[in-house]
Structure formats: C-alpha cells, structure tokens
Amino acid sequence: MKKTWITVILLISAASWAPAQTVRWVKGNTHAHTRNSDGNETPRRVMRWYQDYGYNFLVITDHDMMTETASLDSDKNDDFILIPGLEITRSMDKLRVHVNALNPKRPVAASVVGQTVAQTLQNSIDAARTAGAIPQINHPNWRWSLTAEDLKGLSGVHLFELLNINRDSNNFAAGGQPGTEELWDALLSQGLAFYGVASDDAHDYLGDFFPDKAYPGKGWVLVRVSELTPEAVCAALDKGDFYASTGVELADVSVTKNSYSLAIKSLGDTAYTTLFIGKEGKVLKKEFGLNPSYSFAGDELYVRAKVISSAGEMAFCQPVFIKK
Ligand SMILES: [Zn+2]
Ligand SMILES: [Zn+2]
C-alpha cells in the first residue's frame, strides 16, 4: 500500500518537473563550407565560429559530401546543434544548379543533370527529399543561372536563397536584371509557396577582410521552434515559420485571420521602415516604428513583410496567402 502511494507521488512529481515547451526564435545558418570542400577551415573551427558568435544551429553543406560532425559533439554547448547537410552541386555549361539537402536521414543519391535547368533542379530536389532531407535552392542569381520560369513548375521545394551573402550572388536588381526579391514575387504571384532564406554560404574564416571573400555572420535565419532539434528546425523552415535577417531582429511575427503584425527589437537610435508587400511586389503599406501592422483586405493573394533599418540591415518575413 505504502509503495503504491510512493509510486503515485513520484509520477505526479515527474509530471510537474517536466520542462515547459517554450516557443522561441533560434538563430542559424543553413549554408557553410569547410576544408572538406572549398572552405578554408576545419569543420571544428567552422562550428566553433558559429557557436562563439551566438548562433543556435549550423548546417555544414560541403559540395556533394556529408561532413562528419559526430566527433565535434564534445565541443558543443547545450544551446547549439549541428544539422547534417550537403550542397548538391551541378553545372550546366556556365550555369550553376546548387541545392542544399538539409538534415538527410539517408545518403543523398547523386542527382542527374537534366536537359533543362528545371529538370536538373527537380532531380536535385527529388534526391534531397528521397533521402529525407529538406531542399533549399541556392544563389539563383549566381551567373544568372535560375529564372522564375525555371522555378515555377518545381514540386517538393519551398526554400530558396533570397540573400546569399557572396559577392557574386547578384541578390539585388541592377542593370536590367531582376534581383532575387523580384524573382520571389514572380513566384508568389503565381500562388507558389516559396520562402526566402538568408545565408552566408561561408567559405573564408581566416579574417583577411577582402571584399570578394565569403565570410560568416552576414545573413541568417531566425526559426520559431519549441525545441532545439534538427527535426524541429527543419520542419519550421519547410513550412515558413522563420524570417531571414541581415541584422534586424524581431521580438515577434504575428499572423491572425485579419492581420500581419511585427514587433521589432529596438537597437540604439536605429530607425525602421516596414513594407507590407503583395502581388507583383506591390507595396500595400509602408509604416515607420517598432510595431507595424497590416490589416488584410482579402483580395491580396499574399502578403509579406520587409523591414529596412537606417543601418542598411534588413529582415524578410515569409508570405501569408490570403484565403478569401
Ligand atoms: Zn553553391
Ligand atoms: Zn555553397
């Protein structure tokens, strides 16, 4: 009898001690290279860089190879994880078709170069999905490789690099060429759920400070999760529960049936402008201050939010499709 009571008390105690699942934003980079491909540091030192600078997760994505990370566990703190990954790397003459496979459960089969860029992309996306990974289309404007036409018929992919912080990535519109943001709106305007990632595609870690090097710490994602695991982070990425940033930090992103609202974290004297953007990239509303909000009219098709700071930093929040 006594024993039974002790068991009951232990069960109650265990339940009350279970940690509450707190939803929070975790910071990470989904694209980085090491000496295993064309990066210039060891996996351990690359991991240490991101951990030391306050990131919560990193995906090491060497070209067509999985970098082994289990041996790095002893260097990790409790609030940092390494997510397995690789960059599926295909070329079509001068064009580059690169797709990250985030958190594969099985080896990623070599994808076949197709007759068209779209086929090569789809083959790489399928190789990632078949391995249980989340695909991310990389640097679409590097060598002006990928167009909206190439991307619009794809299936099984939501993530693409809106900002790849490499000099040659051509993120911004100029010279009559569309930037990646125009590419994004072209896809969203067709009702396609693409989510914009910012990533370092880091290669250079040695602090020599040349403008054409690919350094860490320039572009990242903040992902909303209730636990810091590869599965939780990748699931949130794949459903667009994150924002991309080059410095603007948000306390909250709130979407209800009626509105899209942000809470921007204040930093010194920095001033902020938020644009709520809809079909064809049209600015639906422009608002100053730390708590911008947009009320849905119902006929927008989609609404996304972009924050620009007086420091030149940005945050891109993901599109919400409006169901009439
Ligand atoms: Zn690449
Ligand atoms: Zn890369």
Side-chain angles (χ1 to χ4, degrees):
M1 188 66 189
K2 198 176 176 186
K3 192 179 174 192
T4 309
W5 274 109
I6 288 168
T7 307
V8 169
I9 289 164
L10 284 175
L11 282 172
I12 292 168
S13 301
S16 59
W17 288 341
Q21 292 224 319
T22 314
V23 175
R24 63 171 177 145
W25 297 97
V26 294
K27 179 177 178 177
N29 177 31
T30 61
H31 193 167
H33 296 271
T34 75
R35 276 187 204 164
N36 285 345
S37 58
D38 51 355
N40 68 3
E41 263 298 5
T42 63
R44 186 175 301 275
R45 291 184 64 115
V46 171
M47 184 207 86
R48 284 294 299 269
W49 193 98
Y50 282 94
Q51 177 168 274
D52 289 350
Y53 285 90
Y55 285 65
N56 303 107
F57 71 89
L58 171 67
V59 195
I60 292 176
T61 51
D62 280 308
H63 293 288
D64 287 318
M65 72 156 291
M66 284 284 288
T67 284
E68 181 276 323
T69 57
S71 64
L72 308 180
D73 278 352
S74 56
D75 267 12
K76 289 208 309 265
N77 69 35
D78 290 343
D79 203 27
F80 183 87
I81 58 169
L82 279 168
I83 299 175
L86 59 80
E87 183 172 18
I88 300 169
T89 306
R90 297 291 171 271
S91 298
M92 299 181 73
D93 296 324
K94 77 177 267 288
L95 306 183
R96 297 289 176 265
V97 182
H98 292 187
V99 174
N100 277 358
L102 311 177
N103 200 27
K105 302 285 187 280
R106 298 171 286 282
V108 180
S111 63
V112 176
V113 173
Q115 294 293 313
T116 64
V117 166
Q119 279 174 10
T120 305
L121 271 171
Q122 190 65 62
N123 292 347
S124 301
I125 290 160
D126 292 348
R129 287 284 182 194
T130 301
I134 306 299
Q136 166 185 301
I137 296 171
N138 293 341
H139 42 63
N141 278 357
W142 182 30
R143 300 186 174 205
W144 307 105
S145 292
L146 312 179
T147 64
E149 198 62 26
D150 297 323
L151 270 62
K152 73 176 189 190
L154 299 176
S155 62
V157 64
H158 299 295
L159 301 178
F160 86 107
E161 281 182 338
L162 173 68
L163 295 174
N164 174 298
I165 312 294
N166 255 295
R167 206 206 154 276
D168 297 331
S169 295
N170 299 312
N171 298 312
F172 301 102
Q177 297 277 15
T180 46
E181 203 178 349
E182 283 79 358
L183 171 69
W184 195 16
D185 283 312
L187 295 166
L188 297 175
S189 298
Q190 298 184 51
L192 303 168
F194 276 91
Y195 307 128
V197 169
S199 80
D200 286 329
D201 193 0
H203 289 71
D204 303 293
Y205 304 89
L206 298 177
D208 38 9
F209 306 115
F210 290 102
D212 59 342
K213 295 289 178 113
Y215 296 115
K218 302 287 186 65
W220 55 88
V221 286
L222 282 131
V223 185
R224 184 156 38 192
V225 292
S226 55
E227 56 176 19
L228 184 61
T229 62
E231 287 70 27
V233 168
C234 288
L237 283 168
D238 204 30
K239 67 176 186 190
D241 201 2
F242 71 96
Y243 66 93
S245 178
T246 61
V248 173
E249 205 179 335
L250 306 176
D252 195 25
V253 178
S254 169
V255 178
T256 67
K257 188 158 60 71
N258 301 315
S259 66
Y260 196 139
S261 310
L262 308 182
I264 302 167
K265 284 191 188 174
S266 174
L267 197 65
D269 292 335
T270 309
Y272 298 91
T273 299
T274 298
L275 305 177
F276 291 96
I277 295 167
K279 197 171 176 187
E280 315 290 354
K282 184 182 170 199
V283 175
L284 305 167
K285 186 182 181 189
K286 176 176 170 177
E287 188 171 346
F288 302 146
L290 298 176
N291 293 287
S293 185
Y294 176 81
S295 297
F296 301 130
D299 61 353
E300 294 96 337
L301 180 62
Y302 70 88
V303 178
R304 62 181 180 87
K306 171 184 181 180
V307 186
I308 306 158
S309 84
S310 54
E313 296 164 335
M314 292 177 279
F316 288 89
C317 300
Q318 305 309 327
V320 175
F321 284 89
I322 312 296
K323 295 183 185 74
K324 274 188 182 173

